[in-house]
Amino acid sequence: METKERRVGTVSRGIRCPIIREGDDLAKIVTESVLAAAESDGFELRDRDVIAMTESIVARSQGNYATVDDIAADVKAKLGGETVGVIFPILSRNRFAICLRGIAKGAKKIVLMLSYPSDEVGNALLSIDQIDESGVNPYSDVLTLERYRELFGKTVHEFTGVDYVEYYGDLIKSCGAEVEIIFANQPKAILNYTDHIINCDIHTRKRTKRILLEAGAKVVCGLDEIMNAPVNGSGCNEKYGLLGSNKSTEDKVKLFPRECRDLVLEIQKRILEATGKHVEVMVYGDGAFKDPQGKIWELADPVVSPAYTDGLIGTPNELKLKYLADNDFKDLSGEELKQAISDSIRKKSGSLVGNMTSQGTTPRQLTDLIGSLCDLTSGSGDKGTPVVLVQGYFDNYTN
């Protein structure tokens, strides 16, 4: 009997789930939700489908939270409770404001050093054009708050309408700490103000810490070293501390999930037992993509995926169909062209690095690519689909 040709490639489906609370059996809920969706929508699971769940439901099921007071106690213990430099934070009410409240409550004075014209993930204080017009050199110049206001006035975020300079300054004062705000892009600039520093950058944190310690800083903690162990019975994240945390309430953050490799393996096992299919499973946070309008690079989490099954290790191994069609097989068409391309795909080697036929395909980690697809599918609001099923991701033209 002739097999029917599949006409659909990759499909990404948001899966509705109940609201997750601390202590819930997430492996059971995720497995049952995916199986129920397959039944209600009339699709079947296949080998190498990917089941992905947001880091948020994993952290919630783990009860991984910390309060402003927990953060304050940790900051005070680690940085001495006097003048603390807080450098390179991102501009975010959801991501950083609650952390800043905790830090401010754990110190007498905060010297807040903001990078400019934008933060690490692209949230802009200023435009590059404003910098050009001002004659300021962002690589070397350190601006006081007075000089910044003189040059640029009040500046608000394009999407949120918030003046983050004013917002962070007021927030620090409301926690009972004194505040001084400066603008600089060289980590060492903070050492003219204090030698006890929290560097809040995410992806450049190791370099920043190295530069500060080499320049004579006494104490340097990354955000990954604050709340990296429980404080007064709180949650924590041994690997990432406050990195990847989100606002939960006005006084509490939900931390990035703790070790959750067991969870992805358990879901993989349950699906195999229920369906006989070998699926891959991952946990995802922010995707990694840049918004062309606001110039914001999405990834405020330390990694896209904190846990995944072994089939998601590595990068795609794909041939560029356009290249084959326009070069190697430019004289073929129709069924003959289809056959030639199919044969090339079947014969492709284990690694196509440096091979012209793979140029223009995306040499990124599978978990970063699939996590970005899932983040866009689930959204960050009220869709109610914190689990995403991706089918056909590993298909190619021959399947």
Side-chain angles (χ1 to χ4, degrees):
M1 191 178 93
E2 193 184 338
T3 0
K4 200 170 162 196
E5 185 181 356
R6 234 170 48 218
R7 290 284 178 178
V8 177
T10 303
V11 174
S12 174
R13 284 186 178 87
I15 306 291
R16 290 206 171 146
C17 290
I19 302 293
I20 304 299
R21 295 289 186 207
E22 180 174 352
D24 283 352
D25 183 344
L26 200 53
K28 180 173 185 278
I29 292 169
V30 170
T31 304
E32 287 175 356
S33 298
V34 170
L35 295 175
E39 193 179 336
S40 76
D41 267 37
F43 61 85
E44 283 181 12
L45 291 182
R46 300 197 291 255
D47 287 329
R48 296 217 80 191
D49 283 354
V50 181
I51 295 172
M53 68 209 107
T54 62
E55 56 81 20
S56 160
I57 61 170
V58 179
R60 284 221 305 275
S61 71
Q62 292 176 342
N64 205 17
Y65 295 92
T67 66
V68 165
D69 290 338
D70 297 331
I71 296 168
D74 208 26
V75 167
K76 199 167 184 179
K78 286 172 178 165
L79 289 114
E82 296 295 321
T83 299
V84 175
V86 172
I87 77 170
F88 302 153
I90 65 170
L91 307 173
S92 170
R93 291 167 297 177
N94 172 39
R95 290 293 193 161
F96 189 68
I98 308 291
C99 298
L100 183 57
R101 283 187 62 203
I103 293 166
K105 282 184 93 168
K108 282 187 184 155
K109 178 178 177 180
I110 297 292
V111 182
L112 180 66
M113 185 170 108
L114 300 172
S115 57
Y116 71 98
S118 67
D119 72 7
E120 175 187 10
V121 295
N123 290 295
L125 283 173
L126 307 161
S127 69
I128 285 285
D129 297 310
Q130 283 173 292
I131 295 287
D132 291 343
E133 284 158 23
S134 71
V136 165
N137 180 345
Y139 295 103
S140 59
D141 292 357
V142 179
L143 307 177
T144 61
L145 179 58
E146 293 68 33
R147 182 73 181 130
Y148 175 88
R149 291 298 191 203
E150 195 183 298
L151 286 166
F152 307 112
K154 188 178 164 79
T155 55
V156 299
H157 190 283
E158 178 183 7
F159 292 150
T160 64
V162 173
D163 177 341
Y164 278 97
V165 178
E166 183 178 71
Y167 176 61
Y168 280 178
D170 289 349
L171 190 149
I172 292 166
K173 283 184 274 195
S174 75
C175 294
E178 212 188 312
V179 62
E180 184 171 358
I181 300 177
I182 59 170
F183 303 81
N185 291 314
Q186 296 292 348
K188 284 189 282 197
I190 194 66
L191 294 172
N192 293 323
Y193 300 83
T194 178
D195 55 10
H196 285 62
I197 300 143
I198 301 176
N199 65 295
C200 304
D201 44 346
I202 306 160
H203 308 291
T204 51
R205 63 188 184 273
K206 287 180 181 162
R207 175 178 180 262
T208 300
K209 186 173 183 180
R210 171 178 58 76
I211 288 169
L212 287 169
L213 289 171
E214 283 171 0
K218 278 209 181 100
V219 182
V220 186
C221 280
L223 276 186
D224 55 333
E225 295 167 294
I226 307 291
M227 299 309 303
N228 59 356
V231 173
N232 303 322
S234 73
C236 71
N237 190 303
E238 294 84 352
K239 196 171 178 186
Y240 298 119
L242 281 174
L243 289 180
S245 65
N246 277 283
K247 177 179 181 173
S248 168
T249 69
E250 292 306 320
D251 295 299
K252 195 163 68 167
V253 291
K254 177 197 64 56
L255 299 167
F256 210 49
R258 296 170 85 167
E259 186 51 58
C260 46
R261 165 94 171 156
D262 288 353
L263 172 67
V264 296
L265 292 172
E266 176 62 22
I267 293 170
Q268 186 181 54
K269 179 171 152 260
R270 285 178 183 235
I271 293 287
L272 184 63
E273 285 165 359
T275 65
K277 302 298 177 189
H278 181 89
V279 299
E280 303 299 343
V281 184
M282 65 182 278
V283 176
Y284 68 94
D286 276 343
F289 43 81
K290 189 167 180 174
D291 167 49
Q293 172 66 31
K295 311 290 184 285
I296 297 163
W297 180 45
E298 181 73 3
L299 188 57
D301 285 326
V303 287
V304 172
S305 177
Y308 45 87
T309 50
D310 291 351
L312 297 174
I313 295 169
T315 57
N317 190 45
E318 299 172 355
L319 296 174
K320 194 78 168 175
L321 294 191
K322 283 188 296 195
Y323 185 88
L324 290 171
D326 292 348
N327 291 275
D328 301 34
F329 308 125
K330 63 179 184 292
D331 300 326
L332 303 180
S333 60
E335 194 54 43
E336 215 181 349
L337 174 61
K338 184 179 171 182
Q339 200 52 54
I341 286 178
S342 299
D343 288 346
S344 295
I345 291 169
R346 286 191 194 97
K347 289 175 190 158
K348 70 183 175 185
S349 69
S351 171
L352 297 168
V353 175
N355 185 327
M356 282 299 277
T357 55
S358 71
Q359 68 172 350
T361 60
T362 313
R364 282 162 45 195
Q365 301 289 339
L366 287 166
T367 50
D368 294 342
L369 290 163
I370 298 168
S372 299
L373 170 63
C374 292
D375 189 22
L376 288 166
T377 303
S378 61
S380 52
D382 58 8
K383 285 186 171 49
T385 56
V387 172
V388 175
L389 174 68
V390 179
Q391 297 194 287
Y393 192 84
F394 296 100
D395 285 3
N396 60 48
Y397 190 58
T398 66
N399 294 111

